[in-house]
Amino acid sequence: MTNVKTIRATIVAFLSIVYCAAVAQTTSLVSWKFTTEIIAPNEIRLTITADIAPGWYIYSQHLSDDGPQPTRISFKESDSYFPIGTTIEDGDPNTYHDEIFDMEITSYTQKVSYRQDFRVHDRETLIRGTIDFMVCDSQMCMPGQKEFSVTLKK
């Protein structure tokens, strides 16, 4: 029984190391930049820009559930701000028919931006969120996640 526990612990440790290495690699393949601008007295636009390493791409946020992992940006709920509309994706899309998923897929190389407008109540508001994404090249894909916090000032 002790050998089984040792084997399990070894497997868990190995998988943890592999996961941490993959996460570390995705941070070097996709870098994220956050900028804000005032668009009305109580409205601020947050722009999130992904700079993608040469030879790599990330998927659009507009993919069906039957396909690969789309980019998903989620914002933590708060009484200090309220998202207006949906997150808008802006870049030079590559749309193609994928034989494996048998569907149209859109991805981005080099750079893509996401814009989200917010109605804010305070002069200074901290917004928190998470970006889940898949970064791929012609040989493999790796999941990535970026947690962020940005101060919105009006």
Short mmCIF file of all heavy atoms in Angstrom, two decimals, residues 54-92:
data_model
loop_
_atom_site.label_atom_id
_atom_site.label_comp_id
_atom_site.label_asym_id
_atom_site.label_seq_id
_atom_site.Cartn_x
_atom_site.Cartn_y
_atom_site.Cartn_z
N PRO A 54 6.09 35.01 -32.46
CA PRO A 54 6.09 34.53 -33.85
C PRO A 54 5.90 33.01 -33.92
O PRO A 54 6.48 32.26 -33.13
CB PRO A 54 7.49 34.93 -34.36
CG PRO A 54 7.90 36.07 -33.49
CD PRO A 54 7.30 35.78 -32.14
N GLY A 55 5.07 32.58 -34.86
CA GLY A 55 4.81 31.16 -35.05
C GLY A 55 3.70 30.60 -34.18
O GLY A 55 3.34 29.44 -34.28
N TRP A 56 3.15 31.42 -33.31
CA TRP A 56 2.10 30.99 -32.38
C TRP A 56 0.81 31.76 -32.66
O TRP A 56 0.83 32.81 -33.29
CB TRP A 56 2.54 31.22 -30.94
CG TRP A 56 3.68 30.33 -30.56
CD1 TRP A 56 5.00 30.55 -30.79
CD2 TRP A 56 3.60 29.06 -29.93
NE1 TRP A 56 5.76 29.51 -30.34
CE2 TRP A 56 4.91 28.57 -29.80
CE3 TRP A 56 2.54 28.29 -29.46
CZ2 TRP A 56 5.19 27.33 -29.21
CZ3 TRP A 56 2.83 27.06 -28.87
CH2 TRP A 56 4.13 26.60 -28.76
N TYR A 57 -0.31 31.26 -32.17
CA TYR A 57 -1.60 31.93 -32.32
C TYR A 57 -2.50 31.61 -31.14
O TYR A 57 -2.25 30.64 -30.41
CB TYR A 57 -2.28 31.53 -33.64
CG TYR A 57 -2.58 30.05 -33.79
CD1 TYR A 57 -3.80 29.52 -33.36
CD2 TYR A 57 -1.66 29.19 -34.38
CE1 TYR A 57 -4.07 28.17 -33.50
CE2 TYR A 57 -1.92 27.85 -34.53
CZ TYR A 57 -3.14 27.33 -34.07
OH TYR A 57 -3.41 26.00 -34.22
N ILE A 58 -3.51 32.45 -30.94
CA ILE A 58 -4.55 32.17 -29.95
C ILE A 58 -5.89 32.19 -30.66
O ILE A 58 -6.05 32.83 -31.70
CB ILE A 58 -4.54 33.14 -28.75
CG1 ILE A 58 -4.83 34.58 -29.17
CG2 ILE A 58 -3.22 33.05 -28.00
CD1 ILE A 58 -4.96 35.53 -27.99
N TYR A 59 -6.85 31.49 -30.10
CA TYR A 59 -8.17 31.40 -30.70
C TYR A 59 -9.03 32.61 -30.36
O TYR A 59 -8.85 33.25 -29.32
CB TYR A 59 -8.88 30.12 -30.24
CG TYR A 59 -8.26 28.86 -30.78
CD1 TYR A 59 -7.60 27.98 -29.94
CD2 TYR A 59 -8.32 28.58 -32.14
CE1 TYR A 59 -7.02 26.82 -30.44
CE2 TYR A 59 -7.74 27.42 -32.64
CZ TYR A 59 -7.09 26.55 -31.79
OH TYR A 59 -6.52 25.42 -32.29
N SER A 60 -9.98 32.87 -31.23
CA SER A 60 -10.97 33.92 -31.02
C SER A 60 -11.81 33.59 -29.79
O SER A 60 -11.90 32.44 -29.37
CB SER A 60 -11.86 34.01 -32.27
OG SER A 60 -12.99 34.82 -32.02
N GLN A 61 -12.50 34.60 -29.29
CA GLN A 61 -13.46 34.35 -28.21
C GLN A 61 -14.79 33.86 -28.77
O GLN A 61 -15.67 33.45 -28.02
CB GLN A 61 -13.64 35.60 -27.35
CG GLN A 61 -14.19 36.79 -28.09
CD GLN A 61 -14.31 38.02 -27.21
OE1 GLN A 61 -14.37 37.93 -25.99
NE2 GLN A 61 -14.34 39.18 -27.83
N HIS A 62 -14.94 33.89 -30.10
CA HIS A 62 -16.20 33.53 -30.74
C HIS A 62 -16.10 32.18 -31.44
O HIS A 62 -16.08 32.09 -32.67
CB HIS A 62 -16.61 34.60 -31.75
CG HIS A 62 -16.68 35.97 -31.15
ND1 HIS A 62 -17.62 36.32 -30.21
CD2 HIS A 62 -15.89 37.05 -31.32
CE1 HIS A 62 -17.43 37.57 -29.85
NE2 HIS A 62 -16.38 38.04 -30.49
N LEU A 63 -15.99 31.11 -30.66
CA LEU A 63 -15.96 29.75 -31.19
C LEU A 63 -17.08 28.94 -30.55
O LEU A 63 -17.46 29.21 -29.42
CB LEU A 63 -14.62 29.07 -30.89
CG LEU A 63 -13.36 29.69 -31.49
CD1 LEU A 63 -12.14 28.90 -31.04
CD2 LEU A 63 -13.44 29.75 -33.00
N SER A 64 -17.56 27.94 -31.26
CA SER A 64 -18.63 27.12 -30.70
C SER A 64 -18.05 26.19 -29.64
O SER A 64 -16.84 25.95 -29.58
CB SER A 64 -19.32 26.32 -31.80
OG SER A 64 -18.68 25.09 -32.02
N ASP A 65 -18.93 25.67 -28.82
CA ASP A 65 -18.51 24.78 -27.73
C ASP A 65 -17.95 23.47 -28.25
O ASP A 65 -17.31 22.72 -27.50
CB ASP A 65 -19.69 24.50 -26.80
CG ASP A 65 -20.11 25.74 -26.02
OD1 ASP A 65 -19.27 26.65 -25.85
OD2 ASP A 65 -21.27 25.79 -25.58
N ASP A 66 -18.17 23.14 -29.52
CA ASP A 66 -17.68 21.89 -30.10
C ASP A 66 -16.24 21.99 -30.57
O ASP A 66 -15.67 21.01 -31.04
CB ASP A 66 -18.55 21.49 -31.30
CG ASP A 66 -19.99 21.25 -30.89
OD1 ASP A 66 -20.24 20.95 -29.71
OD2 ASP A 66 -20.87 21.36 -31.76
N GLY A 67 -15.63 23.17 -30.47
CA GLY A 67 -14.29 23.39 -31.01
C GLY A 67 -13.23 23.49 -29.94
O GLY A 67 -13.44 23.09 -28.79
N PRO A 68 -12.11 24.09 -30.30
CA PRO A 68 -11.03 24.28 -29.34
C PRO A 68 -11.40 25.34 -28.30
O PRO A 68 -12.42 26.03 -28.44
CB PRO A 68 -9.86 24.76 -30.21
CG PRO A 68 -10.51 25.38 -31.40
CD PRO A 68 -11.78 24.62 -31.62
N GLN A 69 -10.57 25.46 -27.28
CA GLN A 69 -10.84 26.41 -26.20
C GLN A 69 -10.72 27.84 -26.72
O GLN A 69 -9.65 28.28 -27.12
CB GLN A 69 -9.86 26.21 -25.05
CG GLN A 69 -10.06 27.22 -23.93
CD GLN A 69 -9.00 27.09 -22.85
OE1 GLN A 69 -8.46 26.02 -22.62
NE2 GLN A 69 -8.69 28.19 -22.20
N PRO A 70 -11.83 28.58 -26.71
CA PRO A 70 -11.75 29.99 -27.13
C PRO A 70 -11.10 30.84 -26.04
O PRO A 70 -10.99 30.42 -24.90
CB PRO A 70 -13.21 30.37 -27.32
CG PRO A 70 -13.94 29.49 -26.36
CD PRO A 70 -13.16 28.20 -26.31
N THR A 71 -10.70 32.04 -26.43
CA THR A 71 -10.24 33.00 -25.43
C THR A 71 -11.46 33.48 -24.66
O THR A 71 -12.48 33.82 -25.26
CB THR A 71 -9.54 34.19 -26.13
OG1 THR A 71 -8.39 33.68 -26.83
CG2 THR A 71 -9.11 35.24 -25.13
N ARG A 72 -11.38 33.47 -23.34
CA ARG A 72 -12.49 33.94 -22.51
C ARG A 72 -11.96 34.96 -21.52
O ARG A 72 -10.99 34.69 -20.80
CB ARG A 72 -13.12 32.78 -21.73
CG ARG A 72 -13.74 31.73 -22.60
CD ARG A 72 -15.11 31.34 -22.09
NE ARG A 72 -15.60 30.14 -22.75
CZ ARG A 72 -16.29 30.15 -23.87
NH1 ARG A 72 -16.55 31.26 -24.47
NH2 ARG A 72 -16.71 29.02 -24.41
N ILE A 73 -12.61 36.12 -21.49
CA ILE A 73 -12.25 37.16 -20.54
C ILE A 73 -13.42 37.32 -19.59
O ILE A 73 -14.55 37.59 -20.02
CB ILE A 73 -11.94 38.49 -21.26
CG1 ILE A 73 -10.80 38.29 -22.26
CG2 ILE A 73 -11.59 39.57 -20.24
CD1 ILE A 73 -10.52 39.48 -23.14
N SER A 74 -13.16 37.14 -18.32
CA SER A 74 -14.22 37.28 -17.32
C SER A 74 -13.81 38.35 -16.32
O SER A 74 -12.63 38.48 -15.98
CB SER A 74 -14.50 35.95 -16.62
OG SER A 74 -13.33 35.44 -16.02
N PHE A 75 -14.79 39.12 -15.90
CA PHE A 75 -14.57 40.20 -14.94
C PHE A 75 -15.29 39.86 -13.65
O PHE A 75 -16.45 39.44 -13.67
CB PHE A 75 -15.10 41.52 -15.50
CG PHE A 75 -14.45 41.90 -16.81
CD1 PHE A 75 -15.09 41.65 -18.01
CD2 PHE A 75 -13.20 42.49 -16.84
CE1 PHE A 75 -14.50 41.98 -19.22
CE2 PHE A 75 -12.59 42.81 -18.04
CZ PHE A 75 -13.25 42.56 -19.23
N LYS A 76 -14.60 40.03 -12.54
CA LYS A 76 -15.23 39.76 -11.24
C LYS A 76 -16.32 40.80 -11.00
O LYS A 76 -16.15 41.97 -11.32
CB LYS A 76 -14.19 39.80 -10.14
CG LYS A 76 -13.13 38.73 -10.31
CD LYS A 76 -12.49 38.37 -9.01
CE LYS A 76 -11.29 37.52 -9.20
NZ LYS A 76 -11.34 36.21 -9.43
N GLU A 77 -17.42 40.35 -10.43
CA GLU A 77 -18.52 41.26 -10.15
C GLU A 77 -18.15 42.25 -9.05
O GLU A 77 -17.40 41.91 -8.13
CB GLU A 77 -19.76 40.46 -9.74
CG GLU A 77 -20.35 39.67 -10.89
CD GLU A 77 -21.66 39.00 -10.51
OE1 GLU A 77 -22.34 39.48 -9.57
OE2 GLU A 77 -21.99 38.01 -11.15
N SER A 78 -18.68 43.46 -9.17
CA SER A 78 -18.40 44.50 -8.19
C SER A 78 -19.52 45.53 -8.21
O SER A 78 -20.14 45.75 -9.25
CB SER A 78 -17.07 45.19 -8.52
OG SER A 78 -16.87 46.31 -7.71
N ASP A 79 -19.74 46.17 -7.08
CA ASP A 79 -20.71 47.27 -7.02
C ASP A 79 -20.10 48.56 -7.55
O ASP A 79 -20.81 49.54 -7.78
CB ASP A 79 -21.18 47.49 -5.58
CG ASP A 79 -22.00 46.31 -5.06
OD1 ASP A 79 -22.61 45.61 -5.89
OD2 ASP A 79 -22.02 46.10 -3.84
N SER A 80 -18.78 48.59 -7.78
CA SER A 80 -18.08 49.80 -8.22
C SER A 80 -18.11 50.01 -9.72
O SER A 80 -17.88 51.10 -10.20
CB SER A 80 -16.62 49.75 -7.77
OG SER A 80 -16.55 49.66 -6.38
N TYR A 81 -18.39 48.96 -10.48
CA TYR A 81 -18.42 49.08 -11.94
C TYR A 81 -19.43 48.11 -12.53
O TYR A 81 -19.82 47.13 -11.90
CB TYR A 81 -17.04 48.85 -12.55
CG TYR A 81 -16.43 47.50 -12.24
CD1 TYR A 81 -16.76 46.37 -12.98
CD2 TYR A 81 -15.51 47.35 -11.21
CE1 TYR A 81 -16.20 45.14 -12.70
CE2 TYR A 81 -14.96 46.12 -10.92
CZ TYR A 81 -15.30 45.01 -11.68
OH TYR A 81 -14.75 43.81 -11.39
N PHE A 82 -19.82 48.40 -13.75
CA PHE A 82 -20.78 47.56 -14.47
C PHE A 82 -20.35 47.50 -15.93
O PHE A 82 -20.22 48.54 -16.58
CB PHE A 82 -22.19 48.15 -14.35
CG PHE A 82 -23.22 47.32 -15.05
CD1 PHE A 82 -23.71 46.16 -14.47
CD2 PHE A 82 -23.69 47.70 -16.30
CE1 PHE A 82 -24.64 45.39 -15.13
CE2 PHE A 82 -24.64 46.93 -16.97
CZ PHE A 82 -25.11 45.77 -16.38
N PRO A 83 -20.11 46.28 -16.48
CA PRO A 83 -19.75 46.19 -17.90
C PRO A 83 -20.89 46.65 -18.80
O PRO A 83 -22.06 46.36 -18.54
CB PRO A 83 -19.48 44.70 -18.12
CG PRO A 83 -19.37 44.10 -16.77
CD PRO A 83 -20.13 44.98 -15.83
N ILE A 84 -20.56 47.39 -19.84
CA ILE A 84 -21.55 47.85 -20.82
C ILE A 84 -21.37 47.01 -22.08
O ILE A 84 -20.31 47.06 -22.72
CB ILE A 84 -21.35 49.34 -21.15
CG1 ILE A 84 -21.46 50.19 -19.89
CG2 ILE A 84 -22.35 49.80 -22.21
CD1 ILE A 84 -21.02 51.62 -20.10
N GLY A 85 -22.37 46.24 -22.45
CA GLY A 85 -22.27 45.41 -23.64
C GLY A 85 -21.32 44.25 -23.46
O GLY A 85 -21.03 43.83 -22.35
N THR A 86 -20.84 43.73 -24.60
CA THR A 86 -19.94 42.58 -24.57
C THR A 86 -18.52 43.03 -24.93
O THR A 86 -18.31 44.12 -25.43
CB THR A 86 -20.39 41.51 -25.59
OG1 THR A 86 -20.41 42.09 -26.89
CG2 THR A 86 -21.77 40.98 -25.23
N THR A 87 -17.58 42.15 -24.69
CA THR A 87 -16.19 42.43 -25.03
C THR A 87 -16.01 42.32 -26.54
O THR A 87 -16.37 41.33 -27.15
CB THR A 87 -15.25 41.43 -24.31
OG1 THR A 87 -15.50 41.50 -22.90
CG2 THR A 87 -13.80 41.76 -24.59
N ILE A 88 -15.43 43.37 -27.13
CA ILE A 88 -15.23 43.44 -28.58
C ILE A 88 -13.80 43.02 -28.91
O ILE A 88 -12.84 43.51 -28.31
CB ILE A 88 -15.51 44.86 -29.11
CG1 ILE A 88 -16.97 45.21 -28.84
CG2 ILE A 88 -15.17 44.97 -30.59
CD1 ILE A 88 -17.31 46.66 -29.09
N GLU A 89 -13.68 42.12 -29.88
CA GLU A 89 -12.40 41.60 -30.33
C GLU A 89 -11.95 42.37 -31.56
O GLU A 89 -12.75 42.60 -32.45
CB GLU A 89 -12.64 40.13 -30.67
CG GLU A 89 -11.49 39.27 -30.93
CD GLU A 89 -11.96 37.83 -31.08
OE1 GLU A 89 -12.03 37.13 -30.06
OE2 GLU A 89 -12.27 37.42 -32.21
N ASP A 90 -10.67 42.78 -31.59
CA ASP A 90 -10.20 43.57 -32.72
C ASP A 90 -8.78 43.13 -33.11
O ASP A 90 -7.87 43.19 -32.28
CB ASP A 90 -10.19 45.06 -32.33
CG ASP A 90 -9.79 45.96 -33.47
OD1 ASP A 90 -10.03 45.59 -34.64
OD2 ASP A 90 -9.23 47.04 -33.20
N GLY A 91 -8.65 42.66 -34.33
CA GLY A 91 -7.35 42.22 -34.82
C GLY A 91 -7.48 41.78 -36.27
O GLY A 91 -8.49 42.02 -36.92
N ASP A 92 -6.44 41.15 -36.77
CA ASP A 92 -6.44 40.64 -38.14
C ASP A 92 -6.71 39.14 -38.07
O ASP A 92 -5.79 38.33 -37.90
CB ASP A 92 -5.07 40.92 -38.78
CG ASP A 92 -5.03 40.56 -40.24
OD1 ASP A 92 -6.11 40.39 -40.85
OD2 ASP A 92 -3.91 40.42 -40.77
#
